Amino acid sequence: MSPYKTITTDEKSSDVVWHEASVTPAQRESNNGHQGAVLWFTGLSGSGKSTVANAVDKMLHDRGCKTYILDGDNVRHGLNKDLGFNDVDRIENIRRIGEVSNLFVDAGLIVCSAFISPFIADRAMVRALLPETRFIEVFIDTPISICEQRDPKGLYKKARAGEIKNFTGIDSAYEAPDAAEIHIKTAELSVEMCAKQVINYMLDNNIISAK
Ligand SMILES: Nc1ncnc2c1ncn2[C@@H]1O[C@H](COP(=O)(O)OP(=O)(O)OP(=O)(O)O)[C@@H](O)[C@H]1O
Ligand SMILES: [Mg+2]
């Protein structure tokens, strides 16, 4: 049985009826002056997801865009504090973040979601939740040797010492995207250039417009 099946709530939701909102997503986007979208940052720990996502968020905010950031540990402090790190909980963690991202996109926001999200199937699940073209996968592609040198949270050191189990890239797999909309090599570019690469993609695809 698929692990997704164990966490779906279809059975419980059979009497719930969707109520159409009076203000449409298109009307919200028109007010905001840009499309709603989720920028889904994926990559190893220390690859630069949070750093680049925050730089993008700041650039978009400075352009007057309506934005929000969803970032790893912060979500586990609240919405997902009941979840651990076993396979079912990891999937549920990403599913909830995907659903929250979807609501923000429906509200016309540009959401930067920064989670390792190491598995192709989980990222595909979130992509499938969102309207087509509104899920933009941003692969923060940094060699593990550089992530480990940076080690901003000291996590690689702990993982190498055996103090953290199932650490992505060491004793748990990272499945790199093969067709991410945006592919960023942080070892070759400054943080500002990485963020500009995302902004340029959004301009080229008419998600935001030139000022
Ligand atoms: N071009 C770059 N882009 C992003 N980060 C960079 C770059 N060059 C150096 N860094 C540094 O790399 C580190 C990336 O850490 P960051 O917390 O953003 O990683 P993360 O992918 O969010 O990790 P985690 O999954 O553990 O939250 C920071 O210390 C940042 O200053
Ligand atoms: Mg981070």
Side-chain angles (χ1 to χ4, degrees):
M1 189 167 60
S2 154
Y4 294 108
K5 183 58 193 158
T6 64
I7 54 169
T8 56
T9 52
D10 297 357
E11 299 85 355
K12 293 179 198 161
S13 309
S14 56
D15 292 328
V16 177
V17 179
W18 183 264
H19 191 107
E20 285 302 330
S22 307
V23 181
T24 66
Q27 288 168 328
R28 292 182 204 282
E29 290 184 337
S30 168
N31 257 16
N32 292 345
H34 57 78
Q35 286 189 2
V38 56
L39 294 161
W40 189 273
F41 292 79
T42 174
L44 293 168
S45 180
S47 59
K49 299 177 297 297
S50 297
T51 305
V52 178
N54 275 279
V56 169
D57 186 48
K58 176 84 171 71
M59 282 182 190
L60 291 171
H61 182 78
D62 289 349
R63 298 174 80 97
C65 298
K66 306 274 188 276
T67 64
Y68 197 66
I69 285 234
L70 289 170
D71 200 320
D73 291 349
N74 300 4
V75 174
R76 280 191 178 271
H77 275 120
L79 177 68
N80 290 357
K81 68 178 171 191
D82 57 326
L83 300 177
F85 290 87
N86 62 47
D87 284 355
V88 171
D89 281 6
R90 275 176 190 260
I91 292 168
E92 177 63 2
N93 181 47
I94 296 296
R95 189 193 69 81
R96 286 187 199 172
I97 294 156
E99 291 285 4
V100 170
S101 299
N102 194 20
L103 290 174
F104 282 142
V105 170
D106 202 48
L109 274 62
I110 299 168
V111 189
C112 291
S113 294
F115 301 88
I116 297 174
S117 44
F119 301 120
I120 290 170
D122 299 354
R123 299 192 301 265
M125 165 179 66
V126 179
R127 187 184 285 275
L129 284 175
L130 279 126
E132 226 179 333
T133 75
R134 302 308 168 90
F135 177 87
I136 302 160
E137 195 167 8
V138 186
F139 179 25
I140 301 293
D141 183 6
T142 309
I144 191 161
S145 55
I146 294 186
C147 297
E148 194 162 357
Q149 257 170 37
R150 291 178 181 168
D151 205 5
K153 301 177 185 168
L155 297 177
Y156 284 91
K157 203 162 168 239
K158 283 190 181 167
R160 291 285 182 202
E163 291 167 31
I164 307 177
K165 296 284 174 217
N166 298 324
F167 193 78
T168 303
I170 293 185
D171 54 357
S172 183
Y174 178 76
E175 297 174 356
D178 54 14
E181 278 77 5
I182 307 175
H183 187 158
I184 297 181
K185 299 199 170 190
T186 73
E188 297 168 15
L189 298 170
S190 66
V191 173
E192 195 190 356
M193 291 307 294
C194 293
K196 279 196 176 150
Q197 197 181 326
V198 178
I199 300 293
N200 287 339
Y201 176 92
M202 299 179 87
L203 286 167
D204 291 347
N205 288 277
N206 299 315
I207 296 158
I208 57 174
S209 48
K211 277 195 286 190

